[in-house]
Amino acid sequence: MIARMSRRFAPLAALAISGCMTTTAPTPVVAPSAAGAFAAFPVASIAPVPDDWWRLYDDPQLDTLVAASLAANADLRVAYANLDGARAALRQARAARLPTTTIESALTLDNPSGQPSAASVSASDWDIAATASWDIDLFGRLRAGALAAKADAEAQAAALDAVKVAVAADTVLAYVELCGSTRALAEANAVSAAQERSVRLVREQLAAGDVSPLEVSQVAALAASTRAAIAPFEAQRANALYRIATLQGRPPAEARSMGLVCTAMPRLRGAVPVGDGTALLLRRPDVREAERKLAAAAARVGVARADFYPRVNLGGALGLLAGGFDAVASPLVSWAFPNQAPARAKLAQAKAGEQAALAGWDVVVLKALREVETGLAAYDAEVRRNRDLGEAAAEAQAYARRAASRVRLGDAASLLQVDAERTLAAARLAKAQADLAAAQAEVALFRSLGGGWRNAAGTR
């Protein structure tokens, strides 16, 4: 029987040999310049990016917050569920290449009256059979489908890693904004208190006839402007707390009872480690996801190409059928021929999807390189701006001190002191905001570098 079956399927085997296809994804080519060093800035070094980059800040409270976010974030739970679904689809695709067996049974009662009775049991037919079906994958359709499912699962795993990168960076960003807004709020309150004291002093001078209402109005306007800067910092601080809570999968209302206190902006002790382009493309999860999507698209081209050839299914049944023992085997061959226009259209769609995935890979690579270069330039600019504003704040402090001395000695009008205090208030608030902007640019740079997923909590 086996010999007869071998002779029967010999022509199909010949077709299989002639119709072999590859399902390997085309290898994307990266320009040599993409793998080189990034633009040279004094704020960055070529040292490799650590997996847990947030520990460079040496802030135990920040480490705890990131670990909590990575362990309980809702977006991560969605990504884990999507990965489980992709892995289940992979198991299904692999199982489709194996024979499937089914056990079936039936009972037929020969009872004209329709009422079950002991006498009718002897006239009943009991049927039980085991059936088997095997889709012989001569032309690689199922193999290509399994490769596509495997690539889909790997792409979903990369998407999960990308969510980890985002969660870690968002947590650090919310924390630095909490610290920055808290410090700016304290600065604004201190400046506002000083301005209120100036208002009281000038009003006393007005009562003594030493100044005119003009000076009072000027000082009062400055004090009101300083108070106006307080409310935005309060809102920014509350927003940071709410984001920290939701990143940990907790309701925003719980943020008010978390007891987070941060008054000093976390800072790096040295330059930001950025590595080079090669390390970036190997590390960023979105680049890996795009490459796996390209592999899946290439495998689906193989699935579409297999539709040009016959499908062979070998089926059989063994058991008690119609009161007797019987065995049946029947090969089934199906082939859409000569009208193969649907198969050609399906192949064209698959090839178009492959080209789109290849272009998508290029887009992701260019985006990754652009984000790092842009982040470096923005961070360097913020650091230089912060340095200049620090000098401006120091000079404004000296200006205010000298102006107050001259007014106290009667060597200058009180308007000079009012102008000096206004300059100092603006300089101190600008410095506090510049500190926050530099920290935000720093976190954005780390996020573009794609670290934070290898040793993340909750990895499985």
Side-chain angles (χ1 to χ4, degrees), residues 19 35 81 100 152 191 242 340 344 375:
T100 58
D152 285 337
V191 174
Y242 295 148
Q340 292 192 321
R344 285 193 293 270

Side-chain angles (χ1 to χ4, degrees), residues 154-182:
E154 291 169 344
Q156 193 59 55
L160 169 62
D161 293 339
V163 176
K164 293 177 183 177
V165 171
V167 169
D170 287 344
T171 302
V172 178
L173 180 61
Y175 182 73
V176 299
E177 289 182 355
L178 170 66
C179 300
S181 58
T182 301

Side-chain angles (χ1 to χ4, degrees), residues 53-54 65-77 160-174 243-244 246-249 443 447 451-452 456-457:
W53 55 268
W54 53 88
L65 292 175
V66 174
S69 295
L70 291 172
N73 184 263
D75 290 330
L76 278 176
R77 297 205 309 268
L160 169 62
D161 293 339
V163 176
K164 293 177 183 177
V165 171
V167 169
D170 287 344
T171 302
V172 178
L173 180 61
R243 283 159 52 206
I244 290 173
T246 54
L247 283 166
Q248 296 179 7
V443 175
R447 180 172 187 157

Side-chain angles (χ1 to χ4, degrees), residues 17 48 91 113 158 168 317 380:
I17 295 174
R91 293 194 297 270
S113 64
D380 178 72

